[in-house]
Amino acid sequence: MKNSAGYFADLTEAVGNGWNRFWFTPADPLPLSFLRIAVGALVVMHLLALGADFGRWFPADGLLPPDAVKKVVLVEELDEPYHHYSYFNHLTGSQARFAHYAAIGLAIAFLLGLFTRVTGVLTVIALLSYVHRLPLLAGHADPLLVFLVAYLCIGPAAAYWSLDRWIATLRGANPTKNEAPSLAAALSIRFIQVHLAAFVAMLAAAKMYGDAWWDGEAIWFLIAQTHSRPVDLSALHNWHYLINFWTHLVAYFELAFPILIWNRQARPLLIGLGAAIWLSLIPVTGLLVFSLTLVVASLAFVPASTFRSLLSRPAGSPVTGGMPAAA
């Protein structure tokens, strides 16, 4: 038997090798390109939804001026507002409206892969400006969209299906130079994976705070809230076992996701089950963009080889083979 010093030396080496493999193994950028398109579309949807009441809330001369917001979010212990900079604090009327349209244009450019890193960074700034202008009205999707766009700016998210690639081809450059596996792509994917796992863990922890998710009644409470539900499912009030199962399925899934998603065998089941569960919450919460963003973000755990097999597979042919570890 090895002595304790040898055991801990081997353990340290194994942990170090595993850490390096996890973070620093070059990854295929194909999943990033898919995520760029999907996340960009979700950002556009989110900004278009904000446009409905934009003039009422976001301009500096809206219903809640910046000074009023600072008083509302004042942290008494620190005697200062928990408030961050937003360019909307300095824009009124048509100026703010122009900035809103510009943000939508930047999100579309990011979606299309036009000057991707620049438009991505500017889109992050725009999203944060909406949140910082009215933190009390910030939605569930805002933090998800911000970190997804930010991490997609790290890797070569425009390697495929982008205007940047098309422009490079017109200029005579090699359009495939960004297709090779790279460290930047690996970091981008890993940051999304780790952040999503932590985010879902926070969702689960929040659910454990009250009694409704423990008692199996939370879904019914969501159904009963007439101001937020897009679909009236009150006819399910006698389906006690279904409501109870639905509630506990959501809670236990979100508890399991941050742990089991790293298991190669469990990963396909969790991605598919997560899509079904998060989409099932849309009729009772109305959080369309939030639910879709969770589904899209979970695709960061799908390896590039699976994306390539689906893209190269003839229409109608079955998908074969297992699902390798996330890139």
Side-chain angles (χ1 to χ4, degrees):
M1 281 184 71
K2 291 184 177 181
N3 57 32
S4 59
Y7 169 79
F8 284 108
D10 291 344
L11 178 62
T12 302
E13 183 179 0
V15 171
N17 290 336
W19 176 268
N20 290 333
R21 284 196 304 271
F22 183 85
W23 287 107
F24 304 117
T25 300
D28 190 326
L30 178 61
L32 294 180
S33 296
F34 175 84
L35 288 172
R36 185 203 79 238
I37 296 171
V39 171
L42 290 169
V43 173
V44 173
M45 290 175 57
H46 177 62
L47 295 179
L48 289 175
L50 292 178
D53 292 322
F54 178 86
R56 181 181 302 175
W57 298 109
F58 290 97
D61 55 352
L63 293 181
L64 282 174
D67 290 339
V69 174
K70 291 180 180 179
K71 291 179 181 178
V72 172
V73 297
L74 180 69
V75 180
E76 295 183 359
E77 293 81 2
L78 302 177
D79 195 28
E80 62 182 25
Y82 183 72
H83 189 67
H84 301 284
Y85 177 79
S86 169
Y87 54 71
F88 285 117
N89 290 339
H90 310 286
L91 303 177
T92 61
S94 59
Q95 298 173 336
R97 179 68 67 174
F98 176 80
H100 176 62
Y101 293 145
I104 296 174
L106 288 170
I108 293 174
F110 177 74
L111 184 162
L112 297 175
L114 178 63
F115 307 117
T116 308
R117 284 195 170 96
V118 174
T119 54
V121 170
L122 293 176
T123 298
V124 170
I125 295 173
L127 288 170
L128 289 174
S129 291
Y130 288 94
V131 176
H132 295 165
R133 171 65 180 93
L134 290 170
L136 297 176
L137 298 182
H140 296 72
D142 293 275
L144 273 173
L145 293 173
V146 168
F147 85 68
L148 285 172
V149 177
Y151 294 149
L152 287 171
C153 293
I154 297 174
Y160 298 88
W161 314 310
S162 68
L163 290 179
D164 284 345
R165 179 188 173 103
W166 180 67
I167 292 172
T169 303
L170 292 180
R171 292 177 174 176
N174 181 9
T176 64
K177 66 178 182 180
N178 291 324
E179 295 180 8
S182 66
L183 176 59
L187 291 175
S188 185
I189 287 288
R190 290 307 192 190
F191 283 144
I192 293 174
Q193 291 173 344
V194 172
H195 202 144
L196 177 64
F199 187 87
V200 176
M202 294 286 289
L203 291 178
K207 287 177 173 58
M208 297 302 102
Y209 180 75
D211 295 331
W213 292 96
W214 290 103
D215 297 339
E217 299 176 351
I219 292 295
W220 172 248
F221 291 158
L222 292 173
I223 292 174
Q225 293 179 3
T226 57
H227 65 279
S228 61
R229 68 185 187 197
V231 179
D232 183 4
L233 297 177
S234 57
L236 298 177
H237 68 281
N238 288 326
W239 293 61
H240 303 295
Y241 290 110
L242 175 61
I243 296 297
N244 191 275
F245 173 77
W246 190 354
T247 300
H248 285 130
L249 180 63
V250 174
Y252 288 129
F253 170 78
E254 291 183 353
L255 282 170
F257 182 91
I259 301 171
L260 297 182
I261 193 62
W262 305 106
N263 181 275
R264 185 178 303 180
Q265 283 70 39
R267 190 177 299 129
L269 174 62
L270 286 172
I271 293 174
L273 187 59
I277 289 174
W278 287 323
L279 292 178
S280 76
L281 295 177
I282 296 175
V284 296
T285 64
L287 300 176
L288 174 63
V289 174
F290 175 67
S291 298
L292 290 177
T293 304
L294 283 171
V295 174
V296 168
S298 68
L299 297 180
F301 287 94
V302 177
S305 57
T306 301
F307 281 102
R308 290 195 179 279
S309 66
L310 293 174
L311 290 174
S312 61
R313 179 171 58 92
S317 62
V319 178
T320 59
M323 187 178 187

